[in-house]
Amino acid sequence: ETGVTQSPTHLIKTRGQQVTLRCSSQSGHNTVSWYQQALGQGPQFIFQYYREEENGRGNFPPRFSGLQFPNYSSELNVNALELDDSALYLCASSPDGTSYEQYFGPGTRLTVT
Amino acid sequence: DQQVKQNSPSLSVQEGRISILNCDYTNSMFDYFLWYKKYPAEGPTFLISISSIKDKNEDGRFTVFLNKSAKHLSLHIVPSQPGDSAVYFCAASDSGTYKYIFGTGTRLKVLA
């Protein structure tokens, strides 16, 4: 069983640009959650997808959007990047129906200049 | 508004002794609590959890205690080992949302 993987590992973007981060969930996991972790903070919930539908959202603006695909991969898209978007972005996958167990990927470090 | 708080940013403990990491929460709707461990350049790894119907859960060297009236939980590691050195996050959720609220983390250093 492969773990959760994320790409890229690091990314540098300019303010105003758009970015797409990718996550590959564990096989058989139908739920994926995305988190933003700023320096010195705990992960903050962005949103969750279950069977390709958004299933809950945290306190993030609409320029944060996501997609989940049938092959257990997902994307986080951020438009109109701001300097405060610089953070570690984590995805976590969960088995179907038991979302308490979340398996995190290593994260993508995004720097916005 | 920080609903889950870890007031100690760091903790140093001698190898073999007990490590106690604390976490407080404000939302009485939370009914499931988890502890995660995070090493540098890795994602958080699930450590142990507790449901609000219990006040203690034990797994090997790790024990989590929940005091619902005080809205407080703690993680005990005994005996502490150098490999336990990491950042520990507590997280809380209410069963209706499956949305986790994380604390800011406590960096544990176990000294050999």
Side-chain angles (χ1 to χ4, degrees), chain A residues 35 37 42 45 99-100 102 105, chain B residues 34 43-44 89 95 99-100 102-103:
Chain A
Y35 292 84
Q37 186 180 7
F45 177 77
S99 295
Y100 285 133
Q102 292 197 344
Chain B
L34 306 93
F89 293 99
S95 54
K99 179 176 92 172
Y100 291 112
F102 280 79

Side-chain angles (χ1 to χ4, degrees), chain A:
Chain A
E1 185 179 275
T2 58
V4 179
T5 59
Q6 292 186 244
S7 63
T9 307
H10 296 90
L11 197 53
I12 299 174
K13 288 286 191 177
T14 302
R15 190 172 49 184
Q17 285 187 316
Q18 179 266 342
V19 70
T20 297
L21 309 182
R22 293 180 172 82
C23 172
S24 180
S25 300
Q26 284 192 207
S27 179
H29 285 193
N30 289 321
T31 303
V32 65
S33 302
W34 284 90
Y35 292 84
Q36 180 196 66
Q37 186 180 7
L39 204 60
Q41 301 296 313
Q44 281 203 22
F45 177 77
I46 303 175
F47 43 57
Q48 182 181 87
Y49 277 78
Y50 173 69
R51 294 183 186 257
E52 302 161 51
E53 300 272 339
E54 189 177 293
N55 185 40
R57 189 175 184 93
N59 194 24
F60 280 81
R63 59 189 185 84
F64 286 78
S65 63
L67 284 172
Q68 186 186 25
F69 304 100
N71 65 351
Y72 307 115
S73 67
S74 61
E75 291 179 355
L76 165 65
N77 298 290
V78 187
N79 293 322
L81 283 166
E82 300 177 0
L83 296 179
D84 284 349
D85 295 334
S86 296
L88 180 69
Y89 288 85
L90 296 159
C91 74
S93 73
S94 311
D96 191 7
T98 55
S99 295
Y100 285 133
E101 301 175 32
Q102 292 197 344
Y103 299 85
F104 282 85
T108 293
R109 172 74 61 189
L110 173 65
T111 302
V112 182
T113 62

Side-chain angles (χ1 to χ4, degrees), chain B residues 25-63:
Chain B
Y25 62 97
T26 57
N27 189 339
S28 57
M29 294 298 292
F30 289 148
D31 58 3
Y32 202 82
F33 306 88
L34 306 93
W35 284 94
Y36 280 86
K37 179 168 72 172
K38 187 179 186 303
Y39 293 118
E42 295 182 12
T45 303
F46 170 75
L47 201 55
I48 192 168
S49 64
I50 188 166
S51 160
S52 60
I53 62 173
K54 293 184 168 184
D55 54 19
K56 177 182 173 181
N57 190 26
E58 199 170 347
D59 184 2
R61 297 185 298 113
F62 303 92
T63 303

Side-chain angles (χ1 to χ4, degrees), chain B residues 47-103:
Chain B
L47 201 55
I48 192 168
S49 64
I50 188 166
S51 160
S52 60
I53 62 173
K54 293 184 168 184
D55 54 19
K56 177 182 173 181
N57 190 26
E58 199 170 347
D59 184 2
R61 297 185 298 113
F62 303 92
T63 303
V64 56
F65 295 92
L66 175 63
N67 182 334
K68 288 186 289 294
S69 60
K71 295 192 178 68
H72 176 84
L73 63 154
S74 60
L75 174 69
H76 292 210
I77 307 173
V78 56
S80 301
Q81 300 173 354
D84 296 329
S85 297
V87 178
Y88 288 78
F89 293 99
C90 68
S93 173
D94 79 62
S95 54
T97 70
Y98 296 113
K99 179 176 92 172
Y100 291 112
I101 307 296
F102 280 79

Side-chain angles (χ1 to χ4, degrees), chain B residues 11-13 19 21 77 84-88 106-110:
Chain B
L11 175 68
S12 289
V13 170
S19 296
L21 295 93
I77 307 173
D84 296 329
S85 297
V87 178
Y88 288 78
T106 296
R107 183 177 301 276
L108 173 67
K109 187 179 286 189
V110 180

